[in-house]
Amino acid sequence: MKVLQHGQKHSVEFTLNGEEVEGFAEPRMLLSDFLRHEIGATGTHVGCEHGVCGACTVMMDGKAVRSCLTLAHQAEGREIRTIEGLETPDHEFNDLQQAFHENFALQCGYCTPGMLMTLSELASTGKRYTEAEIRDALSGNICRCTGYKEIVDAAMAVLGDKGQVAAE
């Protein structure tokens, strides 16, 4: 394990949305701050800075993590995916983004990157989910605008068990 000196910036290298990136961070710099201020990936939003709201959720090696609870140095050598990495190779919305658009699943949009990254982990399994499972997965993401129905409807449209219809 590399020993990091307090007050000194150290190199951090990882793969971000398929591209190698490098920046410099002090040992206690958060991944959310590193992404936004060092790398310029501002799609990752910072809400509560306590890991409660889910706005800062990113994928690390295929798992949804709170970037406000992760140190930048913990990303060293890892695969990080942010909201900027969800679009298709043709620069179109992916299925989840399109479903959010079609179901009016966002209003102010502040929570949307975290919601989409959380749902992306589910999508990566190829499994179909019940409404209860989708609601459980999203229970760590706070939205103050939508009331969640449209978000759940969008998730069900892409990830839902086709035998089940979202409750009205």
Side-chain angles (χ1 to χ4, degrees):
M1 173 184 270
K2 182 164 79 170
V3 176
L4 303 175
Q5 299 299 315
H6 174 71
Q8 291 181 348
K9 289 191 173 189
H10 300 273
S11 174
V12 179
E13 297 178 47
F14 55 86
T15 304
L16 177 63
N17 301 323
E19 295 184 25
E20 297 298 318
V21 296
E22 179 183 15
F24 293 89
E26 289 189 18
R28 61 188 212 172
M29 181 177 232
L30 299 173
L31 180 57
S32 55
D33 294 331
F34 185 81
L35 289 169
R36 293 180 60 79
H37 304 296
E38 286 292 314
I39 303 298
T42 57
T44 299
H45 293 164
V46 180
C48 68
E49 296 185 277
H50 296 286
V52 176
C53 74
C56 70
T57 303
V58 299
M59 301 284 283
M60 179 182 282
D61 294 336
K63 299 290 181 194
V65 299
R66 302 291 201 254
S67 64
C68 76
L69 296 179
T70 305
L71 296 172
H73 289 282
Q74 290 177 282
E76 180 72 34
R78 310 294 275 286
E79 173 73 36
I80 306 297
R81 191 169 177 206
T82 65
I83 189 73
E84 291 94 341
L86 288 187
E87 68 184 11
T88 69
D90 298 333
H91 305 290
E92 300 290 330
F93 284 159
N94 75 6
D95 291 343
L96 282 170
Q97 291 171 307
Q98 187 63 38
F100 264 57
H101 172 72
E102 291 172 3
N103 287 276
F104 306 101
L106 59 110
Q107 287 183 22
C108 82
Y110 202 82
C111 69
T112 305
M115 295 276 186
L116 287 167
M117 298 314 295
T118 297
L119 292 169
S120 290
E121 181 179 357
L122 297 184
S124 71
T125 68
K127 179 182 163 200
R128 307 310 291 178
Y129 294 89
T130 65
E131 181 178 341
E133 290 171 320
I134 288 172
R135 286 183 179 277
D136 184 56
L138 290 173
S139 66
N141 294 76
I142 297 173
C143 175
R144 294 181 179 202
C145 301
T146 67
Y148 299 97
K149 181 188 178 330
E150 293 84 359
I151 295 167
V152 172
D153 289 348
M156 287 295 292
V158 176
L159 306 170
D161 179 354
K162 299 302 180 190
Q164 184 188 23
V165 177
E168 292 299 316

